């Protein structure tokens, strides 16, 4: 089953890369970014750029009352064309657009500043990059050096590693504050908190983990009922997760006894998480690591009931992004 | 403890504590005769509890409820069956609680005082009876939990106390690292003896005895234990006011230190924003670090066996270094990061001091007493 296990480990690496970057903001980092005045009012924002109907989708937005820093996080070390395009989109965010976004009532509430921006900065942080790799890329691999040169013209390139540091490796910031901060580097904790549990591709396994963390954990203090629509609305409007996929994941969770199907009829599905399910809720990662959701359901000989027809027909692939991101699908 | 309801009426907590201090006052001669501590003295004890919802005046209905609730454990039910517990309210924040043990034909008295999110229980009953009665009651009452301090904090408190010095201590050592499981009980301690105990045995104090002078001679003898129990053993005639101030001062300080160590001041609240992005407000971690071993290759298995296998916990793993824990007693979930030999507790959205304190206490009491405890917290947004 090793092939199947790779399926989860790729998702896990992506999730881990968000968590590792996020740990730079916490009090376990040295020095935490918050000590420099940076806050993270929003993760996975959607910001209007200069082009009609095309948004920038950085993974994190950091803000210190003057600088608005848009951060893209990548799990590997491979610089791809798509990354360059994503950073171009982030670069198209003007000061006015950033201010408009920040002053959006909800986002503004999440900062202790007045929403004024004097500079928009961008950077991309790779989980697999270090100085040695950059050196080789620049001098030994022609294809790589081309990509690197193009990317570093557009943005600052950082490397991040748990238990090690978040560090500037190539390119530069306009802001001297950011430049010296990331040149010095930030020590990161060895085991960052698992704050994020979802991938950009919304694969069933990570969706199952996220549902357990968001709804299942609440069952510690009493039963929680949830419908597929509740889950879909929770992640809207930025994501339109296919309803069929959500239903399939809930069905899987009820099969492994992480929740009960308490539906009155075949049409309106309601699932209930309670304290009796806690071992399965807490153990969800081990469950999906052992076997993909579909693999489990097929092995159990689960027939596709009409109500569980998999509407999204998504071929699980090993690509990073499966086009569920509105931004990616519109480029 | 011969305190009647009439004696308590219209008194505030200082006045009541003053009355209780009278129980342990000794004359100059008695103090001089008293060479050693301990024995069957009736010292004044104060239990400090974190109060997450218990209200003065609600003890009797709470006991009635516990006696018939399906969720009440067997031990709690038999405790209630064997004792008669009766609360008499004195004022909004104070009550007198009598716990009778018919099989021994005795009644023990306790004063309950509500104090800014904490509950104080005072008594001059003998320790063996306090143990059999009120200490069990505290265990079985929902919403209250004894405070807990790390050894470092316990030492700091005595150092901060005016005119006081360490005069004895109990220190413990146990660690999965070595089979030795030691308890040092040390009377007549001098300066630096605590440090020596730690250097020589890695043993850390769980209870510290102190003497306090009201110059020139020792006037007050007291002690404090890391599980929220303070006591005043003797007070020289004329030093009553100082003893009251010491007891109240230590209690407030104990509460502050407990709060500094366990309170989740920046909850990891998550908000989904209108554009589908989301925000995490705060961050809290408690680091258990620097134990008496450099490596712990089987830390996860050890924790599972020693702590997480109890009925209090359910658990699930995420890879080699992360465990999600459900504390059924406090109905909370928290996250444990393993950085062997260090252990990191992360607060999740529903985590409060109750489950964090309880887990740290289990680790230090049951698993490895040589850890240092330190909270790290900050605001991430807002």
């Amino acid at each position: 089953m090793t092939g199947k296990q790779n399926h989860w480990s790729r998702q896990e690496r992506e999730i881990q890369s968000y968590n590792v970057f996020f740990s730079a903001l916490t009090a376990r980092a040295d020095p935490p970014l918050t000590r420099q005045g940076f806050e993270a009012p929003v993760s996975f924002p959607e910001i209007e750029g200069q082009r009609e109907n095309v948004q920038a989708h950085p993974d994190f937005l950091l803000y210190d009352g003057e600088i608005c820093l848009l951060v893209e996080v990548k799990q590997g070390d491979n610089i791809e064309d798509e990354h360059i395009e994503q950073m171009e989109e982030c670069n198209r965010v003007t000061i006015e657009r950033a201010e408009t976004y920040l002053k959006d009532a909800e986002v503004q509430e999440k900062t202790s500043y007045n929403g004024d921006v004097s500079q928009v900065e961008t950077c991309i942080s790779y989980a697999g990059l270090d100085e040695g790799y950059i050196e080789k890329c620049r001098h030994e691999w022609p294809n790589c050096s081309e990509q690197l040169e193009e990317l570093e013209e557009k943005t600052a390139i950082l490397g991040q590693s748990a238990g090690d540091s978040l560090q500037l490796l190539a390119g530069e910031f306009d802001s001297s504050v950011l430049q010296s901060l990331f040149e010095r580097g930030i020590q990161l904790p060895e085991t960052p908190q698992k704050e994020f549990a979802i991938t950009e591709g919304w694969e069933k396994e990570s969706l199952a983990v996220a549902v357990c963390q968001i709804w299942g954990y609440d069952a510690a203090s009493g039963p929680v009922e949830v419908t597929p629509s509740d889950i879909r609305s929770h992640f809207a409007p930025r994501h339109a997760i296919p309803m069929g996929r959500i239903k399939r994941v809930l069905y899987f969770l009820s099969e492994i006894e992480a929740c009960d199907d308490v539906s009155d009829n075949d049409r309106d599905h309601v699932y209930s998480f309670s304290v009796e399910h806690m071992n399965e809720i807490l153990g969800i990662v081990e469950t999906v690591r052992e076997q993909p959701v579909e693999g489990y359901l097929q092995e159990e000989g689960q027939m596709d009931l009409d109500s569980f027809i998999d509407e999204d027909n998504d071929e699980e692939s090993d690509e990073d992004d499966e086009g569920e991101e509105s931004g990616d699908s519109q480029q | 403890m011969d305190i009647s309801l009439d004696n308590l009426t219209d008194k505030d907590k200082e006045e009541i504590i003053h009355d209780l201090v009278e129980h342990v006052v000794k004359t100059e001669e008695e103090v001089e005769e008293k060479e050693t501590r301990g024995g069957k003295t009736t010292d004044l004890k104060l239990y400090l509890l974190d109060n997450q919802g218990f209200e003065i005046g609600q003890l009797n209905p709470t006991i009635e409820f516990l006696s018939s609730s399906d969720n009440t454990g067997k031990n709690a039910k038999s405790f209630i069956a064997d004792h008669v517990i009766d609360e008499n309210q004195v004022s909004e924040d104070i009550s007198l609680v009598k716990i009778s043990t018919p099989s021994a034909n005795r009644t023990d008295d306790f004063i309950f005082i509500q104090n800014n999110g904490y509950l104080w229980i005072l008594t001059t009953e003998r320790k063996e009876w306090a143990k059999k009665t009120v200490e069990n009651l505290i265990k079985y009452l929902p919403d209250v939990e004894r405070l807990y301090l790390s050894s470092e904090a316990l030492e700091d408190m005595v150092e901060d106390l005016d005119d006081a010095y360490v005069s004895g201590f109990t220190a413990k050592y146990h660690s999965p690292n070595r089979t030795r499981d030691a308890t040092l009980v040390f009377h007549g301690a001098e300066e630096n003896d605590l440090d020596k105990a730690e250097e020589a045995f890695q043993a850390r104090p769980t209870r510290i005895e102190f003497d306090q002078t009201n110059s020139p001679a020792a006037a007050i003898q007291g002690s404090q234990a890391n599980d929220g129990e303070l006591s005043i053993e003797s007070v020289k005639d004329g030093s009553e006011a100082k003893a009251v101030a010491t007891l109240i001062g230590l209690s407030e300080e104990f509460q502050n230190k407990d709060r500094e160590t366990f309170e989740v001041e920046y909850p990891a609240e998550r908000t989904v924003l209108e554009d589908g992005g989301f925000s995490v407000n705060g961050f809290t971690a408690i680091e258990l670090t620097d134990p008496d071993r450099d490596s712990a290759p089987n830390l996860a298995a050890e924790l599972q066996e020693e702590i997480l296998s109890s009925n209090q916990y359910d658990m699930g793993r995420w890879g080699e270094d992360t465990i999600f824990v459900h504390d059924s007693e406090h109905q909370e979930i928290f996250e444990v990061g393993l950085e062997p030999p260090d252990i990191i507790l992360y607060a999740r959205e529903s985590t409060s001091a109750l489950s964090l304190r309880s887990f740290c206490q289990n680790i230090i009491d049951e698993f490895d007493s040589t850890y240092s405890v330190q909270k790290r917290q900050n605001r991430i947004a807002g």
Side-chain angles (χ1 to χ4, degrees):
Chain A
M1 298 291 275
T2 46
K4 304 277 192 200
Q5 284 184 3
N6 285 342
H7 179 91
W8 167 248
S9 60
R10 195 205 58 73
Q11 295 177 56
E12 192 178 25
R13 280 198 307 274
E14 183 183 338
I15 290 165
Q16 181 69 354
S17 65
Y18 300 135
N19 286 317
V20 170
F21 183 86
F22 191 78
S23 73
L25 285 146
T26 69
R28 295 201 67 221
D30 184 21
L33 281 167
T34 48
R35 192 176 302 163
Q36 309 295 319
F38 278 98
E39 296 182 354
V42 53
S43 308
F44 308 117
E46 186 169 83
I47 314 164
E48 293 289 335
Q50 280 167 304
R51 295 189 296 165
E52 198 64 31
N53 293 330
V54 180
Q55 288 86 15
H57 289 280
D59 292 322
F60 297 99
L61 179 152
L62 308 187
Y63 174 57
D64 71 348
E66 290 177 9
I67 301 167
C68 174
L69 174 61
L70 307 180
V71 184
E72 186 64 44
V73 177
K74 295 296 170 197
Q75 56 163 308
D77 55 15
N78 222 348
I79 299 174
E80 293 168 27
D81 288 343
E82 191 202 1
H83 304 171
I84 296 168
E85 284 162 23
Q86 281 177 312
M87 296 323 291
E88 277 174 343
E89 220 48 72
C90 287
N91 284 338
R92 288 198 183 97
V93 174
T94 58
I95 287 178
E96 292 71 30
R97 294 284 192 183
E99 285 189 337
T100 307
Y101 179 78
L102 280 173
K103 284 182 178 152
D104 178 296
E106 272 187 318
V107 183
Q108 185 54 50
E109 272 171 31
K110 296 286 166 203
T111 82
S112 37
Y113 303 112
N114 62 8
D116 291 348
V117 174
S118 59
Q119 250 178 317
V120 178
E121 292 263 18
T122 65
C123 68
I124 185 163
S125 183
Y126 287 89
L129 272 195
D130 56 24
E131 282 169 354
Y133 185 96
I134 291 277
E135 194 64 24
K136 283 200 169 77
C137 172
R138 215 183 274 289
H139 302 295
E140 295 176 29
W141 306 321
N143 281 355
C144 187
S145 68
E146 236 169 83
Q147 299 280 69
L148 174 63
E149 280 164 26
E150 198 176 343
L151 185 61
E152 70 184 340
E153 259 174 51
K154 295 193 165 49
T155 192
I157 302 170
L158 313 178
Q160 61 173 51
S161 170
D164 195 351
S165 69
L166 173 70
Q167 191 99 32
L168 182 66
L169 298 173
E172 56 184 18
F173 291 98
D174 294 332
S175 144
S176 56
V177 172
L178 289 176
Q179 184 69 18
S180 64
L181 179 65
F182 288 111
E183 271 179 353
R184 276 200 311 274
I186 292 165
Q187 269 313 112
L188 300 180
E190 192 182 323
T191 310
Q193 182 165 16
K194 300 272 196 283
E195 188 64 65
F196 297 81
I198 199 76
T199 59
E200 291 204 352
W202 297 89
E203 292 96 330
K204 293 192 183 86
E205 292 70 29
S206 65
L207 187 54
V209 174
V211 168
C212 283
Q213 290 206 343
I214 297 169
W215 287 274
Y217 285 5
D218 282 349
S221 51
V224 175
E225 288 197 348
V226 64
T227 67
S229 299
D230 292 337
I231 293 176
R232 202 159 186 255
S233 311
H234 179 90
F235 294 109
R238 185 176 166 187
H239 309 281
I241 311 171
M243 188 65 93
R245 192 182 308 185
I246 297 172
K247 286 182 172 177
R248 198 83 178 140
V249 164
L250 282 168
Y251 176 53
F252 165 75
L253 290 174
S254 67
E255 285 293 310
I256 62 162
E257 293 178 1
C259 61
D260 286 330
D261 183 346
V262 293
S263 315
D264 288 337
N265 56 50
D266 288 345
R267 282 204 40 204
D268 308 317
H269 291 284
V270 184
Y271 292 86
S272 172
F273 292 90
S274 70
V275 77
E276 284 72 45
H277 303 117
M278 211 37 96
N279 269 318
E280 284 68 29
I281 292 170
L282 297 170
I284 185 67
V285 173
E286 293 302 300
T287 308
V288 298
R289 174 200 300 274
E290 267 167 44
Q291 212 175 15
V293 170
E294 285 307 326
Y296 175 88
L297 292 178
Q298 280 156 17
E299 197 161 294
E300 295 295 299
Q302 303 302 338
M303 299 307 292
D304 270 10
L305 304 167
D306 285 350
S307 55
F308 287 110
I309 287 175
D310 209 0
E311 295 162 23
D312 44 317
N313 285 325
D314 55 325
E315 290 298 309
E316 302 282 2
S317 70
D318 274 356
E319 293 304 310
D320 257 16
D321 304 303
E322 297 186 350
E324 294 307 332
E325 293 286 283
S326 45
D328 299 339
S329 54
Q330 288 171 356
Q331 278 178 8
Chain B
M1 191 166 102
D2 52 353
I3 284 202
S4 72
L5 213 47
D6 298 344
N7 290 349
L8 296 170
T9 314
D10 298 332
K11 286 183 179 162
D12 62 15
K13 74 174 184 227
E14 281 83 2
E15 291 165 316
I16 289 174
I17 292 173
H18 199 282
D19 287 353
L20 293 171
V21 163
E22 297 287 346
H23 284 251
V24 293
V25 167
K26 298 194 166 41
T27 62
E28 188 110 26
E29 293 75 34
E30 285 172 321
V31 172
E32 275 169 25
E33 277 170 28
K34 192 174 175 306
E35 299 249 318
T36 56
R37 295 182 140 191
K40 291 199 169 178
T41 55
T42 52
D43 45 357
L44 164 59
K45 288 176 262 319
L46 166 52
Y47 295 97
L48 293 170
L49 316 181
D50 187 359
N51 183 0
Q52 302 272 345
F54 174 79
E55 284 180 27
I56 292 289
Q58 288 302 302
L59 185 58
N60 294 357
T62 302
I63 297 293
E64 281 167 34
F65 170 77
L66 289 176
S67 70
S68 58
S69 164
D70 292 341
N71 296 331
T72 308
K74 218 167 51 198
N75 295 350
K77 278 196 171 153
S78 71
F79 173 78
I80 293 169
D82 296 344
H83 298 84
V84 181
I85 300 156
D86 186 27
E87 181 186 32
N88 302 276
Q89 198 162 350
V90 176
S91 64
E92 198 183 334
D93 293 328
I94 301 173
S95 65
L96 174 63
V97 174
K98 293 179 171 292
I99 304 179
S100 304
T101 313
S103 62
N105 191 19
R106 64 174 288 137
T107 297
D108 294 289
D109 295 346
F110 305 92
I111 291 166
F112 281 39
I113 301 178
Q114 214 161 253
N115 181 48
N116 297 330
Y118 293 90
L119 182 68
W120 296 6
I121 299 180
L122 290 131
T123 187
T124 56
E125 302 293 2
R126 290 223 314 268
K127 174 74 181 173
E128 61 170 309
W129 282 101
K131 234 181 155 129
K132 288 176 186 166
T133 55
V134 83
E135 290 187 22
N136 278 322
L137 176 64
I138 291 168
K139 257 186 257 169
Y140 304 138
L141 272 185
D143 304 327
V144 300
E145 190 82 17
R146 285 171 74 154
L147 299 190
Y148 186 79
L149 279 195
S150 68
S151 300
E152 295 96 329
L154 200 64
E155 287 176 51
D156 287 348
M157 278 177 60
V158 175
E159 278 168 21
D160 293 345
L161 198 57
D162 287 339
D163 320 321
Y165 54 91
V166 174
S167 51
F169 56 85
T170 304
K172 292 188 175 168
Y173 174 93
H174 58 88
S175 140
N177 186 27
R178 295 188 227 166
T179 46
R180 199 181 65 210
D181 196 348
T183 301
L184 307 180
V185 181
F186 205 105
H187 295 294
E190 290 175 6
E191 210 183 343
N192 299 331
D193 282 347
L194 266 177
D195 296 342
K196 284 179 196 156
E198 181 152 2
E199 280 161 33
F201 299 99
Q202 269 78 42
R204 295 190 162 178
T206 53
R207 181 171 177 276
I208 294 180
E209 295 173 355
F210 60 87
D211 283 12
Q212 202 178 11
T213 56
N214 204 356
S215 1
I220 297 164
Q221 292 188 324
S223 74
Q224 50 172 12
N226 65 345
D227 58 354
E229 186 184 343
L230 308 176
S231 77
I232 300 286
E233 200 174 304
S234 74
V235 175
K236 201 169 73 184
D237 207 352
S239 296
E240 295 88 337
K242 184 159 184 160
V244 172
T246 293
L247 196 59
I248 291 178
L250 279 177
S251 305
E252 302 279 353
E253 180 65 9
F254 206 114
Q255 287 168 189
N256 289 342
K257 288 213 183 295
D258 175 86
R259 203 182 281 132
E260 274 168 29
T261 315
F262 298 115
E263 194 65 31
V264 179
E265 292 169 77
Y266 302 108
E269 275 172 15
R270 300 167 74 112
T271 321
V272 178
L273 305 176
E274 267 176 38
D275 69 339
F278 72 90
S279 120
V280 181
N281 283 8
F283 171 83
T284 307
I286 293 176
E287 298 178 336
L288 295 154
T289 57
D290 195 26
D292 180 27
R293 53 174 170 172
D294 297 329
S295 68
N298 303 314
L299 188 57
E302 286 174 352
L303 279 181
Q304 233 162 305
E305 204 169 307
E306 299 286 327
I307 309 278
L308 294 167
S309 56
S310 86
N311 289 340
Q312 187 179 349
Y313 297 118
D314 302 303
M315 58 157 285
R317 305 268 311 255
W318 181 331
E320 294 300 306
D321 58 8
T322 299
I323 305 175
F324 291 106
V325 181
H326 170 237
D327 174 342
S328 57
E329 202 173 298
H330 301 107
Q331 304 190 326
E332 293 176 12
I333 285 174
F334 57 93
E335 183 178 331
V336 176
L338 303 177
E339 299 180 357
D342 295 350
I343 301 170
I344 315 301
L345 277 57
Y346 287 116
R348 295 195 67 90
E349 218 166 355
S350 69
T351 313
S352 83
L354 291 177
S355 61
L356 296 174
R357 182 192 294 113
S358 175
F359 192 75
C360 283
Q361 186 167 0
N362 287 335
I363 297 248
I364 288 169
D365 288 353
E366 316 281 332
F367 176 63
D368 188 341
S369 65
T370 65
Y371 277 108
S372 298
V373 185
Q374 162 102 41
K375 182 171 71 171
R376 301 208 179 270
Q377 58 176 21
N378 66 337
R379 186 191 317 264
I380 305 278

